[in-house]
Amino acid sequence: MDEVASAIADPVRREILELLRHSRRTAGDIAAHFTITRPAISRHLRVLRESGLVHDELVGRERFYVLHPGRLTELAAWIARFDTSAGWTQRLDALETEVYRTRREHRARPADQQTSKEHTA
């Protein structure tokens, strides 16, 4: 997890991951999106490859880089533990269920109460 966190700490590498999100790309295509040198892009790709976030595929004479998002799962799960909004969503869903149940019971109750009041009067 530390290796993945370290790899995505750099904004250039995060941008590379965004580029690879929808399709595989060559190093030259990736480099064309940046103002930094191609050797710098190669170093960033090496870090991403070593962290397991991307892998390369050799197709003929071209090397394509492909996103491997599975390595982000462990980090995402760890980060999700700090997301308190998910707990609120579950609590609000439970509250909504209780409100509907109470309304249903309340609608059914007046008919029963009227019957018992008629018998006591």
Side-chain angles (χ1 to χ4, degrees):
M1 184 169 66
D2 291 342
E3 195 173 45
V4 172
S6 179
I8 65 172
D10 186 278
V12 172
R13 290 194 285 268
R14 289 193 306 268
E15 182 68 22
I16 291 171
L17 293 175
E18 286 289 332
L19 289 171
L20 296 173
R21 192 168 148 216
H22 298 291
S23 64
R24 64 185 188 171
R25 295 176 183 261
T26 64
D29 185 35
I30 293 168
H33 286 75
F34 297 95
T35 57
I36 59 178
T37 65
R38 284 181 183 238
I41 292 296
S42 292
R43 286 190 293 276
H44 285 297
L45 287 169
R46 185 180 69 239
V47 169
L48 291 171
R49 210 174 41 249
E50 289 173 354
S51 71
L53 289 170
V54 301
H55 66 272
D56 55 343
E57 298 174 350
L58 193 59
V59 179
R61 293 177 50 177
E62 290 189 302
R63 183 174 306 277
F64 288 90
Y65 289 88
V66 180
L67 178 65
H68 185 59
R71 286 297 311 254
L72 291 168
T73 305
E74 183 182 358
L75 181 60
W78 184 81
I79 291 170
R81 293 182 356 199
F82 298 96
D83 182 11
T84 58
S85 65
W88 278 107
T89 301
Q90 291 171 348
R91 290 181 186 128
L92 291 173
D93 287 346
L95 176 62
E96 181 181 28
T97 301
E98 281 300 308
V99 167
Y100 284 123
R101 185 181 63 75
T102 304
R103 284 181 182 167
R104 220 177 22 250
E105 288 174 0
H106 183 68
R107 282 189 221 121
R109 193 173 295 143
D112 296 336
Q113 288 176 351
Q114 288 175 357
T115 307
S116 61
K117 284 182 183 177
E118 290 173 2
H119 293 294
T120 58

